[in-house]
Amino acid sequence: MTDRPLTLMAVHAHPDDEATGTGGVLARYAAEGIRTVLVTCTDGGCGDGPGGVKPGDPGHDPAAVAAMRAQELRASCDVLGIGALETLDYADSGMLGWESNEAPGSFWRTPVAEGAARLAELMRHHRPDVVVTYDENGFYGHPDHIQAHRITMAAVELSGLTPKVYWTTMPHSMMRRFGELMREAQAGGPEPDPAEVAAMAEIGLPDAEVTTWVDTTAFSRQKFDALAAHASQGENIFFLKMGDEVFAELMGTETFVRVQDATGATLPEDDLFAGLR
């Protein structure tokens, strides 16, 4: 133990990702006096433009979208009480198979060693005790999420630090509940694509394989408000369409897999900082 405050670093791909998967823990630990650091890897330029205009459509300006999303990201950080925001500002690669995957400067095309070196420098500066990012598949296969995973794991090794490392996940029980809510929201509309339903069922992990369940119910309003701060992407954020009660039910627990630990803290655990305080 030292006088240095405990520090949580979350490494995410795009503006708004910080709120979806880790908004609760970022708000909770900030409230507990833990220093929180957010690293956002891309500029979000492949997001929706004003009026919901999509990438590739007339009127979509990636630079203008990126500038707008940078403002929204800062607003989200204020809501969540994030202590430090670091942006790597790589170009958003878009969804898997988009031409933007291979565009010059895209995060997906960036050599892992380059991104890892930059992130390792930030780790040495902030000295996180806990690092959170995505799993090898980026949770659902997004190229930028996969790349964020790759550079984070390489940066941890390169930094010479030994933080506890976690990957975000969702237990299958939560995914089933999420599927139910999606079907209820689309009642009377077209039947969902069976392939999409099957793909969603494969996301996440069996409940027994989730190592860490953090209760963030008390911070559900902050998490909701952080998501709402990304207003330009509201069409894509299904969670904003839930009522407060359902949102708290589904989003009031954040779940992770612990993949690196030097504390020996017993699993399963309910605190990312178990064994550190």
Side-chain angles (χ1 to χ4, degrees):
M1 299 294 180
T2 70
D3 292 334
R4 181 180 61 82
L6 290 170
T7 299
L8 165 65
M9 175 181 281
V11 182
H12 283 290
H14 312 98
D16 76 23
D17 290 332
E18 81 289 339
T20 305
T22 56
V25 292
L26 286 166
R28 170 180 162 169
Y29 289 122
E32 292 179 5
I34 288 170
R35 186 165 183 268
T36 54
V37 179
L38 170 64
V39 180
T40 301
C41 297
T42 81
D43 61 10
C46 286
D48 288 356
V53 62
K54 303 298 181 184
D57 287 349
H60 187 277
D61 180 351
V65 171
M68 175 177 59
R69 298 193 72 183
Q71 293 181 340
E72 293 175 340
L73 178 60
R74 289 190 291 271
S76 173
C77 288
D78 288 344
V79 169
L80 297 174
I82 291 171
L85 170 64
E86 302 280 6
T87 54
L88 300 184
D89 288 325
Y90 290 109
D92 189 340
S93 309
M95 300 298 286
L96 186 64
W98 288 12
E99 289 184 9
S100 51
N101 293 175
E102 302 302 324
S106 75
F107 190 37
W108 183 241
R109 277 192 59 177
T110 299
V112 170
E114 176 193 320
R118 293 182 63 194
L119 183 55
E121 184 177 347
L122 292 175
M123 288 180 176
R124 294 189 196 103
H125 174 70
H126 291 290
R127 303 191 67 80
D129 301 280
V130 171
V131 172
V132 175
T133 192
Y134 315 101
D135 63 18
E136 305 102 316
N137 191 46
F139 185 58
Y140 67 98
H142 193 296
D144 287 331
H145 290 222
I146 294 170
Q147 188 75 329
H149 162 85
R150 291 172 176 170
I151 74 161
T152 301
M153 299 311 293
V156 169
E157 185 173 357
L158 190 61
S159 72
L161 303 174
T162 57
K164 296 179 80 176
V165 179
Y166 293 88
W167 297 342
T168 57
T169 193
M170 285 279 276
H172 284 167
S173 59
M174 283 189 187
M175 290 306 301
R176 285 192 295 271
R177 178 62 176 141
F178 181 70
E180 291 169 4
L181 291 170
M182 290 284 285
R183 287 190 290 275
E184 289 171 10
Q186 296 170 357
E191 284 295 312
D193 183 335
E196 291 184 7
V197 172
M200 180 175 288
E202 293 299 315
I203 293 176
L205 291 171
D207 290 33
E209 294 180 23
V210 175
T211 66
T212 310
W213 305 65
V214 184
D215 183 0
T216 61
T217 307
F219 302 91
S220 293
R221 171 47 60 180
Q222 278 175 264
K223 181 169 181 170
F224 183 93
D225 289 346
L227 281 166
H230 297 281
S232 68
Q233 309 306 306
E235 181 183 329
N236 301 318
I237 304 176
F238 173 78
F239 307 110
L240 294 176
K241 300 176 177 66
M242 302 175 183
D244 289 352
E245 185 175 331
V246 174
F247 183 89
E249 172 203 339
L250 193 64
M251 306 294 282
T253 300
E254 293 183 348
T255 48
F256 307 87
V257 176
R258 193 176 82 191
V259 295
Q260 178 174 302
D261 171 61
T263 71
T266 302
L267 294 178
E269 59 188 2
D270 60 6
D271 179 9
L272 299 178
F273 288 86
L276 292 169
R277 58 178 177 171

